[in-house]
Amino acid sequence: MPFLRALFGSIGLLTLVPANAWAQWTVSSPNGSTSISVSLHPSTGALSYSVTQDGAVVLESSALGISTSAGDFVNGLSFVSRSNAVINESYSLPGRKKASYLNAANEAVLRFSKGGQELHLAVRAYDDGIAYRYRIPGSGALSIYSESSAFNLPDTATGYAQSYVSNYEGYYPARGSFTSGTLGMPVLAAVDTRWVLLAESDLGGSYHTSQLTGGSGNTLRWSWPTATSVNTSRQFNSPWRLAVIGSLATLVESSLVENLSAPSQLADTSWIRPGRSGWSWRAGGNQSDYNTHVSFVDSASAMGWEYYLVDEGWQASWVPSLVSYANTKNVGIWLWVNDEDVKTESQMRTLFSRWAGWGVRGVKVDFFDGDSQVTMQLYEKLAQVAAENRLLVNFHGCTKPNGIGRKWPNVLTQEGVFGAEQGELSAAHNVSLLFTRGAVGAMDYTPGAYSNAGGQTTWAHQTALPVLFASYVQHYSDHGAMYRDSVAREFLRALPSSWDDTRLLEGHPSQYATLARRRGNDWYVGTISGGAGRTAVIPLSFLTAGTNYTAHIYRDGTSDNDIAYQVQQVSSTSVLNIPVRANGGAAIRITSQSVPVVPSALYKIINRQSGKALAVQNASRSDGAAVIQWAYVDSTTNDEWRLVDAGGGYYGLLNRNSGRTLDVYDASAAAGAKLIQYTSRGSANQQWQLTDVGGGYVRIVSRHSGMVLDVESASLADGANVIQWPWSGDANQQWQLVQVGSVP
């Protein structure tokens, strides 16, 4: 009997296979749990693949193949060779859900030939999934006519997917099967005890975005939203076709889409700063009126947010003035633009250069509403030209994330979601998003829409959404007063938009979700219900053992529009039991700061040795006025302070009388430097940590210098200067916070 030679496993391992047998090549992940096997049919020469995890079949035999002007690589293929590689790289991003990304996989490139032309199939196995792409070597023009690729799910698979629309603004309903319909990715499937998230990555401008079309046997076939061929050149790489596989936590925490993307094209990303943004479009007001935007800039500044987005209706005559005004408030301006006005590179360069010259920080480009190759090329060019002008980017009315945020890190978010601007959205929809659209990249849902709840969700549910929905410029879509007057104001002031760790604690796509994210030493937890009320049981084992923490809990109150606030001391052994109303939720900030601080409280700060209060000299309201100690006077306000959360366990100390912040003069790091008040700039010499020293007293530590507030020469006199000095433990360095009121 004649024999064929086929490669199994590593290069050089040859196995004799009968001529009428299938040839098969397997790649296993670094820990051996996930395997993808590629097969070549002995008579038709057609390729297929299957996937297992821990021995269980996840994807059954699924078709491979691509038809091009260089050859129809759907059948008639002959095996040429195999090469192996180990993928092992780490990288970081400015906008991120984890501090460091690890791209670790085993890869095989299988070479096949037909009619003198070659097709290369690159296959990767990750511990949390698989991916493959087609490569066509050579040079010159190339047309892609169609693709025969498929995901063949087991017949019993169920899941969640939206019907395809080009802006991805739809729901993700539960599906009993995938035997029909044209679906937009990502598609979430339940396969026995595992979950599978189907998506793609690294489109660049070389391909159409794809859809998945359901068919018999739960076979999802790749298709395009247009009949137009792809026009490209060789050497050609198709997008990666990928499946994230594992538990729901695996899917939510995965970075497979980013790992498969092209690496960053920017050598310098120091200017790319994620942040929070106010946004007036959904809240209303005359968008053409300068004063409308001034008021929203003021609101963003009061919340400590970094940005404000000026949406459709802005006037070139007043934008430079608004930018200048916003700069005085430490708020950066973004501008909205219709994609029709930046279709050509010439248009982009003219407008982006002009706006950057005004001092604009970012652009929101809207109304793409298409997934063709031409539109994909437009995304790429917009990101590139924006980066050349040091502009941040938010795509709207757009495609889903395909890894562009890694290739162009200035793209901090994109819509591609049925979000809060659409009106009252159900709690069930919000739950489903975490496991579908939210799992593949930053999502500009514009959360925190209290006035949009309308009985569909509670206000505590809305407060939790900015934790669950990552957007590296997080747009808050309600009126400034809704945040200023909220019980959760201090939570929203402190909440970051970029993260060092992300962990799904519990959840189900149709029921509820609890997610924890960390920035620095602080953890933020969001939990929401998509239906019936429940008790969220949240073990805090993710906290550092042996460290004491304070949990600030904002949960459902006595009505849907009531947020109850409580403070609780916790540790890694604690378990929180949070009552959640129907369609409700809770948001929690857990900080290692050991001194509980009441949001919106006013304090007198009393020195332990002298019994006198921290005060601004002569009740001055000017920058640079000295900070001293003085006997507390109930009728004055220059000796009362509000603590404003600066993140990472630090606070700004805001004087009630002047509205200015406690500051180390000249940002000095020297012992003996005097304390003054100054306009808040968010700098480290204006940020302070309160550390418990016992007996109800704290030391107040400068973030900039590491030194503490000290009454000079341990004086007992009114008017003695307050300075910074290395910690000695003496009574003149110890202070007591006594609440005397609260801001409205």
Side-chain angles (χ1 to χ4, degrees):
M1 178 183 294
F3 288 86
L4 292 175
R5 281 188 171 182
L7 280 169
F8 283 82
S10 303
I11 297 175
L13 179 61
L14 300 178
T15 302
L16 295 178
V17 181
N20 61 351
W22 291 69
Q24 189 177 78
W25 304 267
T26 298
V27 185
S28 295
S29 67
N31 70 4
S33 63
T34 305
S35 295
I36 177 170
S37 297
V38 176
S39 301
L40 181 65
H41 194 283
S43 58
T44 65
L47 290 170
S48 61
Y49 73 99
S50 59
V51 177
T52 62
Q53 189 173 77
D54 296 324
V57 175
V58 178
L59 291 174
E60 297 177 349
S61 181
S62 304
L64 292 167
I66 189 168
S67 179
T68 79
S69 58
D72 183 7
F73 301 111
V74 175
N75 51 38
L77 296 170
S78 299
F79 176 70
V80 176
S81 67
R82 168 179 176 162
S83 61
N84 292 336
V86 174
I87 309 299
N88 189 4
E89 64 165 340
S90 60
Y91 59 95
S92 60
L93 296 169
R96 60 185 189 258
K97 65 180 179 183
K98 58 183 74 173
S100 179
Y101 290 74
L102 176 63
N103 184 15
N106 289 327
E107 179 183 85
V109 177
L110 305 174
R111 295 174 58 207
F112 300 92
S113 67
K114 179 181 179 180
Q117 298 290 329
E118 286 197 354
L119 171 71
H120 297 177
L121 180 67
V123 180
R124 286 187 186 178
Y126 289 83
D127 293 340
D128 63 347
I130 59 92
Y132 66 88
R133 79 185 323 172
Y134 304 105
R135 294 175 180 163
I136 300 178
S139 60
L142 179 72
S143 294
I144 312 294
Y145 302 134
S146 63
E147 190 175 330
S148 301
S149 310
F151 289 127
N152 185 11
L153 294 162
D155 291 349
T156 56
T158 59
Y160 302 80
Q162 69 169 230
S163 296
Y164 174 78
V165 287
S166 62
N167 59 13
Y168 297 83
E169 295 178 15
Y171 295 103
Y172 288 83
R175 296 177 182 269
S177 71
F178 296 100
T179 56
S180 63
T182 300
L183 309 178
M185 288 180 279
V187 169
L188 176 64
V191 179
D192 293 327
T193 60
R194 288 175 176 78
W195 293 86
V196 183
L197 192 69
L198 308 176
E200 60 183 338
S201 182
D202 199 24
L203 269 74
S206 64
Y207 219 72
H208 304 308
T209 294
S210 296
Q211 313 158 333
L212 292 175
T213 301
S216 62
N218 267 352
T219 297
L220 290 165
R221 301 188 183 279
W222 291 81
S223 58
W224 296 338
T226 174
T228 305
S229 299
V230 168
N231 296 308
T232 183
S233 60
R234 297 194 282 181
Q235 179 170 335
F236 166 76
N237 287 307
S238 78
W240 287 100
R241 281 67 183 91
L242 68 96
V244 188
I245 306 167
S247 66
L248 286 171
T250 300
L251 272 57
V252 171
E253 298 167 18
S254 176
S255 56
L256 202 54
V257 171
E258 292 88 350
N259 287 346
L260 291 164
S261 172
S264 174
Q265 304 299 294
L266 304 180
D268 176 19
T269 60
S270 62
W271 57 275
I272 300 173
R273 298 186 179 179
R276 294 79 48 84
S277 178
W279 182 48
S280 61
W281 180 260
R282 199 201 64 79
N286 183 351
Q287 301 300 307
S288 299
D289 180 22
Y290 172 80
N291 291 318
T292 295
H293 301 288
V294 166
S295 68
F296 275 88
V297 166
D298 289 342
S299 295
S301 177
M303 291 299 294
W305 295 340
E306 293 82 1
Y307 300 115
Y308 169 64
L309 168 62
V310 187
D311 215 287
E312 183 179 15
W314 60 267
Q315 305 295 311
S317 59
W318 50 251
V319 166
S321 296
L322 183 67
V323 171
S324 296
Y325 176 77
N327 284 340
T328 69
K329 299 287 187 174
N330 296 313
V331 174
I333 294 296
W334 288 57
L335 291 182
W336 175 94
V337 61
N338 192 313
D339 84 308
E340 291 293 335
D341 295 326
V342 285
K343 283 284 193 194
T344 69
E345 184 173 348
S346 175
Q347 289 174 312
M348 296 175 207
R349 293 195 178 280
T350 297
L351 293 178
F352 288 179
S353 175
R354 179 185 305 160
W355 299 341
W358 291 348
V360 169
R361 296 295 305 280
V363 290
K364 172 184 173 181
V365 189
D366 206 350
F367 296 131
F368 294 89
D369 293 329
D371 269 339
S372 70
Q373 180 187 11
V374 171
T375 307
M376 297 303 107
Q377 291 168 344
L378 179 59
Y379 289 122
E380 289 283 316
K381 184 57 69 173
L382 284 165
Q384 175 195 334
V385 176
E388 291 172 7
N389 287 276
R390 294 204 162 192
L391 290 173
L392 307 173
V393 178
N394 172 11
F395 290 131
H396 250 239
C398 62
T399 192
K400 64 190 183 302
N402 296 309
I404 195 171
R406 180 185 178 191
K407 184 177 183 181
W408 298 106
N410 57 316
V411 180
L412 289 180
T413 194
Q414 59 194 96
E415 191 182 26
V417 65
F418 201 59
E421 71 176 38
Q422 305 295 336
E424 299 174 7
L425 299 178
S426 72
H429 173 59
N430 292 339
V431 171
S432 71
L433 286 176
L434 178 66
F435 303 99
T436 51
R437 168 61 182 83
V440 296
M443 181 173 74
D444 193 23
Y445 176 98
T446 65
Y450 296 124
S451 61
N452 216 28
Q456 296 280 341
T457 62
T458 69
W459 282 14
H461 180 115
Q462 290 292 325
T463 305
L465 292 184
V467 180
L468 276 79
F469 297 162
S471 178
Y472 306 129
V473 55
Q474 187 73 274
H475 290 95
Y476 289 90
S477 58
D478 221 323
H479 303 272
M482 297 299 292
Y483 303 119
R484 184 182 66 243
D485 299 337
S486 172
V487 172
R489 173 175 57 186
E490 298 306 322
F491 177 84
L492 296 173
R493 283 180 55 88
L495 187 65
S497 64
S498 188
W499 304 98
D500 295 332
D501 198 359
T502 295
R503 301 189 193 184
L504 180 71
L505 304 183
E506 60 169 356
H508 187 279
S510 63
Q511 298 175 26
Y512 56 85
T514 303
L515 186 77
R517 298 190 193 268
R518 179 179 61 82
R519 183 60 186 263
N521 296 322
D522 291 356
W523 285 89
Y524 297 82
V525 179
T527 184
I528 58 174
S529 169
R534 62 186 295 265
T535 296
V537 180
I538 308 174
L540 302 184
S541 55
F542 53 85
L543 298 177
T544 302
T547 300
N548 294 321
Y549 293 84
T550 300
H552 300 264
I553 303 168
Y554 303 83
R555 59 174 178 81
D556 290 320
T558 56
S559 69
D560 285 355
N561 294 351
D562 178 39
I563 298 175
Y565 170 70
Q566 68 184 86
V567 178
Q568 184 174 334
Q569 302 305 305
V570 297
S571 69
S572 62
T573 61
S574 301
V575 177
L576 296 178
N577 292 276
I578 308 295
V580 177
R581 293 172 65 89
N583 303 318
I588 307 164
R589 181 182 178 214
I590 304 174
T591 173
S592 57
Q593 169 65 50
S594 60
V595 179
V597 172
V598 178
S600 308
L602 292 168
Y603 294 96
K604 60 181 178 181
I605 302 176
I606 305 299
N607 186 260
R608 185 169 196 169
Q609 175 164 295
S610 67
K612 299 186 186 299
L614 191 71
V616 176
Q617 191 172 43
N618 298 324
S620 173
R621 296 183 176 179
S622 300
D623 282 341
V627 173
I628 59 173
Q629 71 172 7
W630 198 272
Y632 178 73
V633 180
D634 189 57
S635 61
T636 63
T637 58
N638 66 311
D639 50 7
E640 295 176 358
W641 304 82
R642 182 162 68 90
L643 276 67
V644 178
D645 201 320
Y650 290 87
Y651 293 87
L653 272 67
L654 196 70
N655 187 260
R656 182 180 183 183
N657 176 62
S658 66
R660 285 167 167 73
T661 298
L662 184 68
D663 180 296
V664 179
Y665 177 73
D666 203 27
S668 175
K674 289 183 168 51
L675 275 293
I676 61 171
Q677 68 173 7
Y678 208 87
T679 301
S680 177
R681 296 165 297 181
S683 52
N685 66 309
Q686 295 183 331
Q687 297 178 16
W688 307 88
Q689 186 178 59
L690 311 182
T691 303
D692 192 355
V693 296
Y697 289 87
V698 299
R699 62 175 181 261
I700 303 177
V701 186
S702 169
R703 187 171 199 168
H704 177 66
S705 67
M707 298 185 192
V708 302
L709 259 63
D710 176 295
V711 177
E712 191 171 30
S713 302
S715 174
L716 301 176
D718 281 339
N721 288 322
V722 177
I723 60 173
Q724 68 175 6
W725 197 262
W727 171 246
S728 66
D730 294 337
N732 67 313
Q733 296 182 332
Q734 299 180 32
W735 305 83
Q736 184 180 50
L737 275 66
V738 180
Q739 186 173 350
V740 295
S742 61
V743 295

